[in-house]
Amino acid sequence: MSALMEAVRAGRTAEVVGLLDGLTDTERRAFLPELKDLRKELRTAPWGHPSRHAYPTLHATGAACETGAAASVSWIAGSDMRWSQSSAALLIHVLGDRDASWLADVTHRLAGRPASAGVSYELMAGLVRLSGCPVPTTETYVQAWVAHTGQLWQRGDTLFDRLRRDPHLAELMAALFETNDVAGPMEWSSAENLDGWVDAIARLTVEGALDRKRTVDACVARLLRGGSTVDHRAFLRVLKGLALNREEEREHIADWLALASDAVPTVASHAQAVLGSLALDGELTPRRLTEMSDAVLFRSEKKLVRAQLVLLGKVLARDASAAAEVLPAVAVAFGHQDTEVQERALKLVERHLKKVGSPEVRAELAAAADQLVPALRARAVESLGAAPVAAAAAVHEEVLPPPPMPVRLAPAPESAVELSEEVGALLASDGDVTAFERALDGLVRHAYQDRDALVEALGPVCARLWWDSSDPDNVRVDNRFSKNHHGFNSVAESLDLLLATLRGKVHTATLHGVVQHGSRSPSCGHSPLSSAFEARIWEVAYRIRAEPLPFLLSTPSWSTGLLEPDELVDRLDTYRRLGARVSTADFAQALLRVRRTDLAAAAAAAERAAALGTAEGVRLARWLSSGEPVLPTSRRRSTGARVQLEFGELVSLQADFPAGYRELGQPTTVYGERWHCYHWNRNMQQHWLAILPELRELVAVRIVREVSTAAVDDARGAAGVLPALAESGGASGEATHLCLAYGLGARHPEDRLAAVDALLVLAARGQLDGDRLGTDLGQLVRSGAVKSSRLAESMRTAAATGANTSIWGILRHTLTALLADLDGDIKPAPARGLGDLLAVAAECAERSGARGELPHLAQTADRTGSSRLVAQARRLRSTLVAEVAA
């Protein structure tokens, strides 16, 4: 071994630098094979191994010995050395004897690497100084420049001073406004600090270090281009810091119009304020104001729309001659989705209508009134001369979005290679029920047909897994997969057991012990569901080792987990002909999945099953003949703000079922169960639903506590299971509706959207009990578990799909409970946000043509004052007692 390689392996950097000095390119290239072999060796070395101390020295040595610019850059930016790089100063030193053109090539190649490569800014900037090349303006270089320059690490120095001294300020600042993801460091240095980017850029334009016009133009162009919310916020602060004068604002009128129309709300609000100031000073023509209004009044943000209506009102008050041109723009808001905005626009048109003398404009306004909701339309008939509403047109027909349809499972992969690819994808993504069940059945089939071919095909997949190691000191696979394990928290963990079994990493005694005695997972509210899932996996693993199954009986026919009875009978018949012994857990799961709600199909399949003459055939026939699944008795419990459910025993799941499945039919209780459990992976919930595809209530009652955290504890993602719950089968009862109620009051928008999706699915399938859901929501709002404002957002979203009748049917029960509390002198806590809920109810009632009395509404509507609560109560009362115009 050469002296250089000995020094590299020992990590003696100073010695390596001395040995490299004076070597020719040919002599340096001669060391590359050994350096590359060492690099390969270190890649496989365990983390913390002493040999890894050679990485920084190897990093610098390889960069110096690579004589091509592209090869040197590839070495420097190698992902395997990203966390053990040599210093920028050392790399600049070992590369410093190269000619300027070579260094310039390396510099720009490094700057062209993605930011994730982690190339040091000090290295790139040092090479720029060393080579004298033009500064790169790539995304990676500019992001690194912003992060580095913004660090306040020089005592007595400021960001402004550092920028002013930068020889490449003009080029980099121009690139700054065109680069993505630079706002984070800019925000950190500007948020609570005058020496931030906002202040520095403004001062640089004042001193003339930056051209002001170019800076203003670049900042406006950056906002027009769009991007992340953080980018918008940062560059808007820069624009405000530049404090544009009136002449500069006039030069960008077209840009302000575009921003007010399409930008994010914060930027649009600023553009709207600038245009409003120009309009009130008479520097914005009515045509431009109309163009602006046409765009802003179509936006969904009520704050922007209201501000625009206020602006139009001020303009009309100052200039009566603009009414003929401006009022048609106001009428654009007649079609806004928010009826409160419609009412504001109608009031504005009514107030200034007398200033319009043109019959054509008046006719245009009257025609626009067709977009108003019925209650406002009736008012516009008198004030604007709009056409009366025809009785036929007033009849509302609800059209709900079509519910998603279950998908047929494709057969298991035919080749072991194809199966291994699907297993690899599952391990990486923790896939859905369809992907998992196909892969599971495929593993069982191929293990039965040709185990050796399957193991060989799975080799590359298993090589990346933690347990497939040749080092016995680092991995104790059998101990991990023992009866003391903490259960499967993901699909990947269950596949780990099956693959490790195929590769011979788990002892047969371990598998048999868990099958006989069950796992010892910590008990919690979800344990019956996880135990049933795990029981089948462990028994399948044991049978793969001891007595392979030809295929699984329990593989579902549909993506929901449902199994067609004829298919199960055909599978049992194949088992009979092959003389195969049925897996107890697999058959139990098949029974729970088989469709029993189609009584005719179940009866026909029962007759075929009985004719098989096997114990399993007789058991299946008896199960199919028992009728549709029934639910246990239920009882409500309140624990603090939460409302929860308890179920009694379900006797049908006790007899003739293995131990791992009997828990599904045992009583559930709110007390005495540990809710802080290891089931942190919510992706498993869809697999729990597939265990009981015709008894979703048994799943819902065990997850209602977790779903409630979305509303009570502001947990994120806790309501994500609701669409799958709605798409599952069986009765949609008390537990399902209680889960849905919590989801509709969730803290995070994505959880509320999931709940709305579930609500629409149940409604489209005819399984939504509006009375029950409305009563549940009233109880939860009163207890404080659900906030009225959050519920109003969910209901508004659902109503926007056209489900006005369904939403009104829910809210009429919710409001009855909440309004009853307002009869007293003390204002209850749920009253906060109740005005928003009344507004949604009034809108749904207007659009659906609802009529009749709502208990306790009159008392609220008769209150004095003009608060939102009282105003919306009066609006709802007017709608419910109104007669349809003829």
Side-chain angles (χ1 to χ4, degrees):
M1 183 182 297
S2 66
L4 178 67
M5 290 305 302
E6 286 185 3
V8 171
R9 284 185 174 274
R12 299 193 295 268
T13 304
E15 182 180 341
V16 168
V17 171
L19 292 171
L20 285 173
D21 287 343
L23 291 181
T24 65
D25 285 354
T26 302
E27 290 170 333
R28 292 187 179 192
R29 282 196 299 268
F31 289 106
L32 283 175
E34 291 180 90
L35 292 172
K36 292 178 179 179
D37 288 341
L38 176 58
R39 184 176 178 180
K40 291 179 182 178
E41 179 184 327
L42 294 182
R43 282 175 184 160
T44 59
W47 191 264
H49 195 276
S51 63
R52 295 178 67 90
H53 294 305
Y55 255 131
T57 308
L58 174 64
H59 186 238
T61 307
C65 291
E66 291 281 10
T67 55
S72 182
V73 168
S74 179
W75 186 282
I76 292 171
S79 60
D80 56 328
M81 293 189 281
R82 186 172 303 160
W83 305 109
S84 304
Q85 295 182 0
S86 55
S87 67
L90 176 60
L91 285 171
I92 291 172
H93 178 81
V94 299
L95 298 177
D97 58 352
R98 303 301 180 95
D99 63 73
S101 61
W102 189 91
L103 290 173
D105 191 8
V106 168
T107 303
H108 284 271
R109 287 178 182 272
L110 285 173
R113 289 272 171 163
S116 59
V119 179
S120 164
Y121 171 76
E122 290 88 345
L123 172 61
M124 294 186 289
L127 291 174
V128 170
R129 290 192 299 270
L130 192 62
S131 65
C133 67
V135 66
T137 55
T138 62
E139 189 171 278
T140 295
Y141 193 93
V142 175
Q143 288 176 358
W145 173 70
V146 171
H148 177 81
T149 308
Q151 294 173 354
L152 301 177
W153 46 265
Q154 296 181 4
R155 182 169 297 179
D157 198 6
T158 65
L159 175 61
F160 171 72
D161 294 330
R162 290 196 295 279
L163 289 174
R164 185 168 51 178
R165 289 195 304 267
D166 195 316
H168 307 293
L169 175 63
E171 299 96 319
L172 290 173
M173 192 60 71
L176 172 71
F177 290 106
E178 299 178 356
T179 303
N180 295 321
D181 301 325
V182 294
M186 291 174 66
E187 287 272 279
W188 300 334
S189 64
S190 300
E192 299 177 358
N193 181 359
L194 285 177
D195 180 39
W197 284 89
V198 173
D199 179 65
I201 292 174
R203 292 174 62 188
L204 288 168
T205 59
V206 171
E207 288 198 355
L210 290 175
D211 182 271
R212 179 175 175 83
K213 186 178 187 310
R214 289 182 180 176
T215 304
V216 171
D217 291 347
C219 192
V220 173
R222 181 67 181 81
L223 293 172
L224 282 168
R225 198 179 61 153
S228 68
T229 302
V230 178
D231 279 356
H232 275 115
R233 185 169 60 240
F235 287 110
L236 180 59
R237 292 187 64 187
V238 171
L239 184 63
K240 290 180 178 179
L242 291 171
L244 274 60
N245 57 41
R246 183 47 56 92
E247 182 179 351
E248 289 170 328
E249 290 176 345
R250 281 196 301 267
E251 289 178 0
H252 290 280
I253 285 179
D255 297 326
W256 304 133
L257 289 170
L259 290 173
S261 172
D262 298 321
V264 297
T266 52
V267 177
S269 179
H270 176 74
Q272 183 184 42
V274 173
L275 290 170
S277 177
L278 290 170
L280 294 177
D281 288 346
E283 299 188 57
L284 194 68
T285 64
R287 184 181 63 81
R288 287 284 201 179
L289 182 60
T290 299
E291 181 182 344
M292 171 193 179
S293 300
D294 287 345
V296 175
L297 293 178
F298 263 117
R299 295 187 64 119
S300 59
E301 298 88 359
K302 289 190 288 186
K303 185 177 179 180
L304 289 173
V305 174
R306 289 170 182 168
Q308 189 66 20
L309 291 175
V310 170
L311 172 62
L312 293 173
K314 290 179 179 179
V315 170
L316 289 168
R318 292 190 179 196
D319 183 8
S321 64
E325 201 163 356
V326 172
L327 283 182
V330 176
V332 170
F334 289 175
H336 198 275
Q337 61 182 4
D338 188 346
T339 54
E340 189 175 349
V341 170
Q342 292 185 17
E343 186 173 10
R344 285 172 178 257
L346 179 58
K347 286 181 179 179
L348 187 58
V349 172
E350 290 172 339
R351 187 181 307 128
H352 297 282
L353 183 62
K354 59 178 179 287
K355 299 175 183 178
V356 177
S358 170
E360 292 80 7
V361 174
R362 285 178 171 267
E364 182 181 350
L365 295 172
D370 290 345
Q371 304 172 78
L372 295 167
V373 294
L376 296 177
R377 173 78 179 279
R379 200 170 102 190
V381 171
E382 297 181 5
S383 61
L384 304 185
V389 183
V395 177
H396 174 81
E397 182 178 353
E398 184 171 64
V399 179
L400 294 167
M405 301 301 294
V407 179
R408 265 276 185 183
L409 256 71
E414 294 184 359
S415 71
V417 173
E418 182 185 357
L419 174 62
S420 69
E421 292 175 352
E422 294 197 12
V423 170
L426 259 177
L427 289 170
S429 64
D430 214 26
D432 59 11
V433 171
T434 300
F436 173 69
E437 292 292 343
R438 287 188 69 242
L440 182 61
D441 189 41
L443 288 172
V444 170
R445 289 174 182 269
H446 285 280
Y448 178 82
Q449 295 166 6
D450 192 341
R451 179 193 176 97
D452 293 339
L454 175 60
V455 171
E456 182 181 355
L458 290 170
V461 175
C462 296
R464 301 192 297 268
L465 301 177
W466 61 270
W467 48 262
D468 197 53
S469 170
S470 58
D471 187 350
D473 294 329
N474 289 336
V475 180
R476 295 180 176 87
V477 178
D478 199 65
N479 288 347
R480 176 74 177 271
F481 291 123
S482 71
K483 61 183 179 181
N484 296 319
H485 86 121
H486 289 288
F488 301 128
N489 198 31
S490 67
V491 164
E493 290 182 8
S494 63
L495 289 175
D496 271 340
L497 173 64
L498 298 173
L499 297 180
T501 300
L502 284 166
R503 300 277 287 182
K505 298 289 185 178
V506 186
H507 295 155
T508 305
T510 299
L511 298 170
H512 186 259
V514 177
V515 170
Q516 290 296 313
H517 306 293
S519 64
R520 298 181 181 177
S521 305
S523 177
C524 67
H526 307 114
S527 294
L529 300 168
S530 61
S531 295
F533 179 85
E534 292 167 17
R536 184 172 64 133
I537 300 299
W538 278 102
E539 189 162 329
V540 166
Y542 174 68
R543 292 294 297 270
I544 284 176
R545 172 66 56 78
E547 187 183 356
L549 299 166
F551 51 82
L552 289 179
L553 295 172
S554 59
T555 302
S557 308
W558 301 95
S559 56
T560 58
L562 201 61
L563 173 59
E564 295 296 343
D566 280 343
E567 291 184 32
L568 180 54
V569 174
D570 291 341
R571 293 172 189 176
L572 284 174
D573 188 29
T574 303
Y575 262 66
R576 180 186 60 80
R577 287 188 285 102
L578 293 174
R581 186 169 64 89
V582 170
S583 161
T584 304
D586 182 36
F587 183 59
Q589 179 62 86
L591 290 178
L592 293 178
R593 282 179 170 170
V594 71
R595 186 195 297 271
R596 289 191 287 162
T597 51
D598 186 342
L599 298 180
E607 187 176 342
R608 289 184 57 210
L612 293 177
T614 63
E616 290 77 20
V618 173
R619 174 79 178 90
L620 174 59
R622 191 167 65 248
W623 181 257
L624 291 173
S625 302
S626 62
E628 295 188 21
V630 296
L631 295 176
T633 58
S634 64
R635 178 173 58 178
R636 291 205 165 203
R637 292 279 194 180
S638 295
T639 55
R642 283 185 172 88
V643 175
Q644 297 186 71
L645 278 179
E646 293 181 339
F647 270 10
E649 184 181 36
L650 192 60
V651 178
S652 61
L653 293 186
Q654 299 300 300
D656 299 329
F657 275 91
Y661 287 85
R662 286 186 205 133
E663 291 182 50
L664 293 171
Q666 292 176 359
T668 64
T669 175
V670 173
Y671 307 107
E673 292 185 337
R674 193 168 66 90
W675 289 105
H676 296 285
C677 61
Y678 66 91
H679 299 105
W680 53 265
N681 184 1
R682 295 188 176 113
N683 187 61
M684 290 300 296
Q685 292 172 342
Q686 62 176 313
H687 298 279
W688 295 344
L689 284 166
I691 294 173
L692 296 160
E694 285 195 327
L695 281 168
R696 63 175 151 202
E697 283 286 286
L698 295 187
V699 180
V701 75
R702 290 180 169 89
I703 64 173
V704 66
R705 172 60 167 71
E706 182 173 359
V707 175
S708 73
T709 62
V712 179
D713 302 324
D714 295 348
R716 186 186 295 274
V721 68
L722 293 179
L725 180 64
E727 293 170 25
S728 190
S732 173
E734 199 171 0
T736 298
H737 282 78
L738 189 56
C739 285
L740 181 57
Y742 279 117
L744 291 169
R747 161 67 176 83
H748 298 285
E750 59 268 31
D751 285 308
R752 294 199 298 270
L753 188 59
V756 169
D757 287 343
L759 185 153
L760 295 174
V761 169
L762 290 175
R765 297 176 69 180
Q767 297 172 338
L768 179 67
D769 187 338
D771 297 358
R772 168 178 279 166
L773 180 58
T775 303
D776 285 346
L777 287 168
Q779 184 178 6
L780 294 179
V781 172
R782 294 176 72 185
S783 72
V786 167
K787 293 180 172 60
S788 299
S789 56
R790 297 177 184 174
L791 177 59
E793 286 296 321
S794 296
M795 291 305 188
R796 185 177 292 111
T797 302
T801 66
N804 293 286
T805 301
S806 296
I807 301 305
W808 167 245
I810 296 167
L811 289 181
R812 60 191 297 268
H813 294 278
T814 304
L815 291 172
T816 297
L818 301 182
L819 292 174
D821 292 339
L822 296 180
D823 283 349
D825 296 330
I826 300 176
K827 184 178 181 181
R832 185 176 182 181
L834 185 53
D836 294 331
L837 207 55
L838 280 166
V840 178
E843 183 171 347
C844 291
E846 290 166 349
R847 295 184 183 277
S848 64
R851 297 293 182 268
E853 281 193 26
L854 185 67
H856 310 291
L857 177 62
Q859 292 90 326
T860 305
D862 289 338
R863 287 187 171 196
T864 58
S866 58
S867 66
R868 180 169 175 78
L869 174 66
V870 175
Q872 294 302 323
R874 291 170 182 166
R875 175 185 167 196
L876 178 56
R877 182 176 62 176
S878 298
T879 300
L880 294 178
V881 301
E883 294 294 333
V884 178

